Amino acid sequence: DSLDLCFFCRLHFVQPSYPQMNVMFLKTHKTASSTVMNILFRFAEKHNLTLALPAGQSYHLGYPHRFMAQFVEGFKTMGQSYNIMCNHMRFNLPEVRKVMPNTTTYFSIMRNPISLMESSYAYNKFFTPAFRRSKDVNEFLASPWTYYNMSEYRNNVHARNYMWFDFGYDNNAMDTEDYVQRVLAEIEQAFQLMLLTDYFDESMVLLKETLGWELDDVVYFKLNSRSQDTIKSMTPESKEKVKEWCSLDWKLYQHFNRTFWRRIQETIGLEKLDQEVNILRMRQKELMELCLLDPMPIDKTKIKDKKLQPFQSGRANILGYNLKEDMANETLRTCLRLITPELQYMSYLYARQFPEKKRKSTAFSLWRR
């Protein structure tokens, strides 16, 4: 498969001897991208980097419209002087290039479209017309055209080829071999690295190696996850139907699943990968024991500090964390960064970067301790 490894990817196979500071992350939806965003926010804060944040009171970069450079706060005066871009957007490479330096590493994350569909359905249940009209995800997939109306295009993007849309393409396009191959080639040209939600720890190891970052830069606590009781079991028929209904996403995922493992073999090797994953999990466990009152994410009603409650949506019950009490200041700051939901963290970083601007509405006073 000649498209499986692009020239640009090979340029990044040798681990940099310095940490890469210019990074663009396409934050796809329902792919554990909030956890990746937390990693990038922490890195930006640690190194005092400039973030390409949404202008004004917005929390995303113009989504679902294709990205434009003017969606970034300060772009007119700052030009190409940003280091990190990681908010939700619909990808548009020429406009992103106006904002990010030429030395930027581009990466994104993909998820198996079957579990992505189930997650999207729960999260967007009351927002997406195609989901609202159906009883549950299995009923929707049994007869998607009954519920899916092409005229409601922008409101229905969550219901079909969601990743394809996030990468800037038409999620209702005809699935032809030539078209799919052209899009795969374009995505490979634009992105040096593609991670997989389904192999998240392996992805974090690969990210660390590619960017020349440290272990603590990519260690994480799962953010924006939901309670097990809101996860709907999908029938075997539904699972098969996703491959047909979201065939563009299915082909996208299959392709980048192959390149992911090939990249692992050509850079780290499976043996070293296993060791690195174990080290990452040990460090994660150590930090969880240091920081958290409960060993697992907890229900929103049990979160003591209301400022740490994550945003809720649809039928998804989004979980969060409680910190242990009486921690030393430096430990408290480290732990807070790991558990802060994305909207609160973004609001804090925006105020820090643009002190003269009006704060985004979820101000986070804990940081001033």
Side-chain angles (χ1 to χ4, degrees):
D1 188 338
S2 61
L3 292 176
D4 270 1
L5 279 174
C6 67
F7 171 69
F8 292 98
C9 305
R10 292 191 203 106
L11 293 181
H12 286 265
F13 271 16
V14 179
Q15 182 177 354
S17 55
Y18 56 90
Q20 167 65 280
M21 299 287 184
N22 298 328
V23 177
M24 190 279 160
F25 171 57
L26 176 62
K27 187 178 190 289
T28 46
H29 287 81
K30 314 317 306 157
T31 56
S33 61
S34 296
T35 303
V36 179
M37 189 188 214
N38 175 272
I39 285 167
L40 294 169
F41 279 170
R42 281 167 22 218
F43 188 83
E45 195 180 358
K46 172 181 166 183
H47 294 280
N48 207 20
L49 302 178
T50 304
L51 286 144
L53 292 167
Q57 290 298 300
S58 184
Y59 280 98
H60 51 69
L61 292 164
Y63 195 88
H65 302 285
R66 275 203 178 83
F67 174 74
M68 301 291 285
Q70 74 248 27
F71 297 159
V72 173
E73 188 67 78
F75 168 68
K76 283 188 173 65
T77 52
M78 291 164 68
Q80 236 187 357
S81 64
Y82 297 90
N83 303 111
I84 289 186
M85 175 183 263
C86 59
N87 285 80
H88 276 311
M89 68 153 72
R90 190 170 181 214
F91 193 62
N92 183 2
L93 184 59
E95 288 291 310
V96 173
R97 281 188 174 147
K98 291 179 186 176
V99 178
M100 298 305 290
N102 300 338
T103 55
T104 300
T105 298
Y106 287 70
F107 80 101
S108 188
I109 188 165
M110 294 183 179
R111 180 179 184 178
N112 186 314
I114 296 169
S115 61
L116 176 66
M117 172 60 78
E118 190 281 325
S119 175
S120 177
Y121 190 97
Y123 197 84
N124 297 302
K125 171 67 181 167
F126 305 122
F127 179 70
T128 305
F131 293 162
R132 263 204 315 266
R133 294 184 189 113
S134 52
K135 181 169 92 303
D136 59 35
V137 69
N138 292 312
E139 185 179 274
F140 170 71
L141 286 165
S143 178
W145 284 115
T146 307
Y147 311 104
Y148 187 89
N149 187 333
M150 294 275 272
S151 67
E152 298 164 324
Y153 177 56
R154 284 207 194 281
N155 292 332
N156 265 336
V157 296
H158 322 95
R160 191 182 193 200
N161 296 311
Y162 205 170
M163 293 186 290
W164 201 262
F165 183 86
D166 284 353
F167 276 90
Y169 298 97
D170 177 5
N171 61 320
N172 290 309
M174 287 284 289
D175 177 354
T176 65
E177 182 67 16
D178 286 356
Y179 172 63
V180 169
Q181 291 303 316
R182 178 175 66 76
V183 169
L184 293 178
E186 283 176 12
I187 293 173
E188 285 219 331
Q189 288 270 315
F191 291 86
Q192 282 84 61
L193 181 66
M194 202 61 71
L195 306 179
L196 301 176
T197 310
D198 316 78
Y199 298 95
F200 195 79
D201 288 346
E202 291 83 352
S203 292
M204 291 308 97
V205 168
L206 189 54
L207 183 67
K208 175 175 82 76
E209 295 288 311
T210 305
L211 300 177
W213 288 8
E214 295 169 6
L215 175 66
D216 272 10
D217 293 329
V218 299
V219 79
Y220 67 92
F221 294 168
K222 210 182 220 183
L223 295 178
N224 211 32
S225 64
R226 64 199 161 111
S227 58
Q228 285 298 316
D229 60 356
T230 65
I231 297 174
K232 176 82 178 169
S233 156
M234 288 172 79
T235 64
E237 294 77 18
S238 290
K239 289 176 180 177
E240 282 307 306
K241 189 62 187 244
V242 173
K243 298 177 191 177
E244 180 193 314
W245 174 245
C246 298
S247 65
L248 298 171
D249 268 8
W250 184 249
K251 287 176 180 174
L252 187 67
Y253 179 76
Q254 295 289 91
H255 176 81
F256 283 102
N257 188 2
R258 281 199 304 277
T259 64
F260 177 84
W261 292 107
R262 192 171 302 173
R263 178 75 169 265
I264 292 279
Q265 283 170 325
E266 296 195 4
T267 53
I268 306 169
L270 290 174
E271 198 176 328
K272 189 178 177 217
L273 176 72
D274 281 349
Q275 292 166 3
E276 294 273 333
V277 164
N278 283 332
I279 293 166
L280 175 71
R281 287 174 182 164
M282 276 160 52
R283 181 60 179 146
Q284 182 186 48
K285 188 166 179 282
E286 201 179 315
L287 283 166
M288 290 183 102
E289 283 165 7
L290 175 73
C291 296
L292 302 179
L293 215 46
D294 319 273
M296 299 291 285
I298 51 167
D299 189 271
K300 58 184 181 288
T301 58
K302 297 196 173 93
I303 298 170
K304 295 174 184 175
D305 190 327
K306 300 306 171 208
K307 294 187 211 74
L308 288 172
Q309 283 190 346
F311 177 74
Q312 302 292 326
S313 177
R315 282 184 183 164
N317 176 14
I318 307 297
L319 305 174
Y321 298 96
N322 280 324
L323 291 180
K324 285 182 175 172
E325 289 172 13
D326 303 321
M327 283 188 276
N329 268 352
E330 198 44 50
T331 309
L332 174 66
R333 273 194 291 273
T334 297
C335 294
L336 264 176
R337 288 183 184 112
L338 282 159
I339 70 160
T340 303
E342 63 187 278
L343 301 186
Q344 288 93 316
Y345 208 156
M346 194 191 317
S347 172
Y348 161 71
L349 292 170
Y350 181 86
R352 193 167 171 260
Q353 195 166 302
F354 302 103
E356 74 290 354
K357 303 264 184 200
K358 184 179 179 231
R359 291 192 76 145
K360 291 189 192 284
S361 56
T362 51
F364 189 39
S365 61
L366 264 175
W367 293 88
R368 290 197 284 275
R369 270 197 214 170

